[in-house]
């Protein structure tokens, strides 16, 4: 239980109550640091899917010191690793309590690059997993891009890769605040992209920001990475993210960071948010167009001899209709739309498109006449266009069912 005083939050005033390293160390030894938890909502199911652990220092004078007042000092002095080490058992204990209520929920926590400059924290996490205290699939580590870029590259990389190897999900935090986001995303084993709240909060007022957010979601999707938008404060932004294919949202609209006791009540309430993944229908259209482009490119190259020496089958094109991106969506999150006529009809066309792609590959491998190839390609395009039409119909149907989306009033053409 948290001391009563914590509820009576007073703002800590730096001048009056100066924060020093010895003060932090003392607080840590007295067990004064706690985690507050902020819920994350799945934009696919509309249900809570996890929470982020955010540290606070609950001082005996009743003040609750926010991380911005002590984390920078802890980071600059290397003391942050002491804090992370001391807090990890608390995190594990809290996670067990949360999973007792709902075993599907995961908890993410923040690490600094310094925490990965030595194997200490990694070993703590490994031990907790080995002792079956925690399921690695239920914990996520959030790292800021800036902290990684400034890190001692090789050691941090090795520890980070080991962490990912344990099955722990890694999230790139504050995406969009640095200068080489795309570069670091491709270089490190992240499977979640957390879009910075600054970008999210400017969606409604800056078309550029809205475009950057959508492009980031699309880029992550193509890399097989999920996206979490943080700082979601308005229904308009929530709806925008839903329509853009974002995977999860976190922000004051759905819940502010709260003590564990309040989080447990929040979980039990089991509140539902809008979760119809309309944005993913648009992603499915784009995925299919890209798959088709790649197929036609490879076939054409084969026709002109560029890839004759290499089997087209080795070029990374998914030939099975379950394994292409659209297929993964169709048999996964897309099942939400089962029963919609355009969704149900899509399966047959998609299967036929893949069958025709098999025919095209055989032609390309065994030599073909121009006429044979043209006829088969025409059949492919016809089926593929039908599919795109069905997806568009599905998107329209889903949007009409969602006509109360705040985004429409927010963006009404004046
Ligand atoms: P962060 O990881 O980017 O965490 C999100 C911050 O945004 C949190 O601030 C959260 O309260 C705030 N936030 C969430 N939703 C909204 C919203 O809708 N509107 C607004 N205006 N703010 C929102 P907090 O808790 O003060 O944490 C600040 C930073 O301190 C965190 O940023 C993280 O970088 C760091 N931090 C927090 N806990 C830890 C920790 O245990 N270890 C380390 N190394 N850093 C931590
Ligand atoms: Ca974070
Ligand atoms: Ca962040």
């Amino acid at each position: 239980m948290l001391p009563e005083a914590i509820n009576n939050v007073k703002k800590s005033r730096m001048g009056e109550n100066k924060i020093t390293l010895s003060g932090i160390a003392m607080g840590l030894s007295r067990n004064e640091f706690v985690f507050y938890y902020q819920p994350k909502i799945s934009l696919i199911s509309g249900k809570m899917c996890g929470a982020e652990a955010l540290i606070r220092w609950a001082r005996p004078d009743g003040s609750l010191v926010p991380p911005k007042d002590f984390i920078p000092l802890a980071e600059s002095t290397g003391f942050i690793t002491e804090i992370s080490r001391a807090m990890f058992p608390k995190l594990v204990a809290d996670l067990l309590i949360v999973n007792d209520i709902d075993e599907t929920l995961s908890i993410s926590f923040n690490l600094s690059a310094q925490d990965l400059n030595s194997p200490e924290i990694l070993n703590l996490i490994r031990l907790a997993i080995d002792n079956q205290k925690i399921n690695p699939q239920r914990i996520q580590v959030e790292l800021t891009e800036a902290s990684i870029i400034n890190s001692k590259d090789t050691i941090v990389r090795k520890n980070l890769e080991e962490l990912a190897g344990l099955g722990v999900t890694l999230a790139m935090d504050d995406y969009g605040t640095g200068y080489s986001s795309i570069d670091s995303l491709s270089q490190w084993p992240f499977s979640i992209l957390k879009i910075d709240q600054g970008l999210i909060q400017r969606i409604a007022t800056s078309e550029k920001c809205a475009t950057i957010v959508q492009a980031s979601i699309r880029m992550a999707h193509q890399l097989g990475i999920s996206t979490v938008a943080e700082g979601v404060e308005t229904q308009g932004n929530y709806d925008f993210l839903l329509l853009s294919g974002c995977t999860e949202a976190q922000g004051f609209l759905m819940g502010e960071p709260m003590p564990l006791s309040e989080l447990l009540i929040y979980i039990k309430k089991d509140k539902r948010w809008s979760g119809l993944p309309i944005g993913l229908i648009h992603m499915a259209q784009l995925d299919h167009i890209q798959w088709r482009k790649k197929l036609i490119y490879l076939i054409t190259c084969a026709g002109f001899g560029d890839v004759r020496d290499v089997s087209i089958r080795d070029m990374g094109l998914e030939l099975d209709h379950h394994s292409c991106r659209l297929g993964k969506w169709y048999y996964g999150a897309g099942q939400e739309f089962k029963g919609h006529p355009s969704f149900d009809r899509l399966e047959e066309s998609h299967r036929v498109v893949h069958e025709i792609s098999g025919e095209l590959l055989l032609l390309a491998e065994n030599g073909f006449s121009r006429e044979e190839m043209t006829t088969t390609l025409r059949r492919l395009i016809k089926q593929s266009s039908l599919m795109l039409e069905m997806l568009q119909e599905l998107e329209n149907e889903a949007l009409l069912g969602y006509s109360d989306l705040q985004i429409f009033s927010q963006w009404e053409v004046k």
Side-chain angles (χ1 to χ4, degrees):
M1 262 310 265
L2 289 159
E4 183 78 295
I6 299 175
N7 294 329
N8 183 18
V9 178
K10 290 188 218 152
K11 199 122 180 74
S12 138
R13 275 168 294 177
M14 294 279 288
E16 256 173 49
N17 226 340
K18 199 169 174 354
I19 287 165
T20 59
L21 194 56
S22 58
I24 299 174
M26 179 83 80
L28 201 60
S29 70
R30 290 182 184 156
N31 238 356
E32 290 171 3
F33 289 84
V34 290
F35 279 128
Y36 268 41
Y37 292 93
Q38 185 176 33
K40 288 186 196 170
I41 309 300
S42 159
L43 294 179
I44 294 172
S45 66
K47 291 195 277 189
M48 179 185 170
C49 56
E52 177 176 6
L54 294 155
I55 200 168
R56 268 100 183 97
W57 181 6
R59 298 222 283 197
D61 64 1
S63 61
L64 194 65
V65 187
K68 71 169 176 38
D69 289 353
F70 61 90
I71 293 282
L73 178 64
E75 278 181 340
S76 66
T77 52
F79 194 72
I80 188 72
T81 304
E82 294 294 321
I83 300 181
S84 303
R85 191 177 43 199
M87 294 304 287
F88 186 68
K90 282 189 201 235
L91 186 93
V92 172
D94 290 355
L95 177 63
L96 290 177
I97 296 171
V98 165
N99 281 160
D100 235 18
I101 301 180
D102 184 340
E103 59 179 16
T104 65
L105 298 177
S106 51
I107 299 275
S108 64
F109 63 105
N110 296 276
L111 284 184
S112 303
Q114 282 184 53
D115 290 322
L116 292 159
N117 261 335
S118 80
E120 215 178 326
I121 303 293
L122 170 71
N123 288 339
L124 266 185
I125 300 174
R126 194 201 314 271
L127 198 67
I129 294 170
D130 287 350
N131 291 343
Q132 301 190 326
K133 279 206 174 133
I134 48 169
N135 175 351
Q137 286 169 347
R138 296 289 164 264
I139 56 167
Q140 294 172 4
V141 168
E142 300 192 4
L143 282 150
T144 56
E145 193 193 332
S147 72
I148 295 165
I149 291 167
N150 299 327
S151 66
K152 286 180 206 156
D153 210 53
T154 47
I155 306 170
V156 173
R157 174 182 293 276
K158 184 177 159 288
N159 288 331
L160 209 56
E161 270 162 8
E162 277 191 40
L163 201 54
L166 292 173
V168 173
T169 309
L170 302 181
M172 180 192 275
D173 210 348
D174 299 345
Y175 177 83
T177 50
Y179 48 89
S180 64
S181 309
I182 297 171
D183 184 43
S184 34
L185 190 63
S186 67
Q187 283 184 30
W188 302 86
F190 290 105
S191 48
I192 296 180
L193 189 71
K194 281 197 87 173
I195 306 175
D196 186 63
Q197 47 181 292
L199 272 179
I200 301 296
Q201 282 157 11
R202 288 199 301 279
I203 284 175
T205 50
S206 155
E207 219 167 291
K208 259 190 194 162
C209 270
T211 307
I212 292 170
V213 168
Q214 279 183 320
S216 306
I217 294 170
R218 176 69 199 155
M219 178 194 65
H221 176 85
Q222 282 177 284
L223 294 170
I225 291 175
S226 330
T227 35
V228 181
E230 66 179 20
V232 179
E233 292 184 356
T234 64
Q235 190 63 44
N237 282 356
Y238 183 99
D239 294 341
F240 175 85
L241 293 159
L242 189 74
L243 294 184
S244 305
C246 184
T247 333
E248 289 171 25
Q250 178 185 347
F252 292 173
L253 176 73
M254 294 81 75
E256 293 193 16
M258 56 190 95
L260 179 69
S261 55
E262 282 176 32
L263 183 82
L264 301 182
I265 298 169
Y266 186 102
I267 297 170
K268 285 178 189 154
K269 276 193 189 145
D270 195 20
K271 183 172 161 112
R272 300 300 155 107
W273 303 84
S274 1
L276 200 59
I278 302 171
L280 293 184
I281 306 175
H282 181 61
M283 289 283 179
Q285 286 175 306
L286 296 178
D287 286 340
H288 177 64
I289 293 169
Q290 279 183 333
W291 177 88
R292 188 178 90 179
K293 256 192 151 33
K294 189 167 175 184
L295 172 74
I296 295 175
Y297 173 76
L298 287 175
I299 301 286
T300 320
C301 285
F304 293 105
D306 289 20
V307 291
R308 244 169 229 265
D309 314 343
V310 192
S311 165
I312 300 176
R313 292 177 198 275
D314 297 333
M315 304 287 281
L317 186 80
E318 304 87 356
L319 295 176
D320 182 73
H321 69 289
H322 289 90
S323 58
C324 66
R325 275 194 200 288
L326 184 131
K328 283 188 183 143
W329 165 79
Y330 191 89
Y331 297 104
Q335 288 295 309
E336 185 84 34
F337 297 102
K338 214 173 163 160
H340 277 260
S342 38
F343 181 82
D344 296 346
R345 277 189 289 127
L346 186 66
E347 185 170 27
E348 173 67 6
S349 284
H350 186 215
R351 201 179 43 73
V352 172
V353 161
H354 275 264
E355 271 170 20
I356 302 173
S357 76
E359 288 175 38
L360 279 167
L361 286 181
L362 278 176
L363 284 175
E365 281 167 352
N366 301 322
F368 51 81
S369 72
R370 200 180 180 88
E371 203 189 325
E372 264 177 321
M373 185 53 88
T374 314
T375 320
T376 320
L377 266 176
R378 269 201 196 120
R379 277 173 50 225
L380 177 95
I381 301 291
K382 195 171 162 204
Q383 276 299 326
S384 159
S385 306
L386 266 176
M387 275 180 59
L388 292 173
E389 255 175 52
M390 289 177 211
L391 281 165
Q392 191 55 57
E393 255 172 56
L394 181 64
E395 192 178 350
N396 297 347
E397 281 168 30
L399 272 171
L400 287 174
Y402 255 62
S403 53
D404 57 340
L405 281 173
Q406 296 244 337
I407 190 105
F408 292 133
S409 49
Q410 183 179 315
W411 280 10
E412 221 164 7
V413 185
K414 298 204 172 82

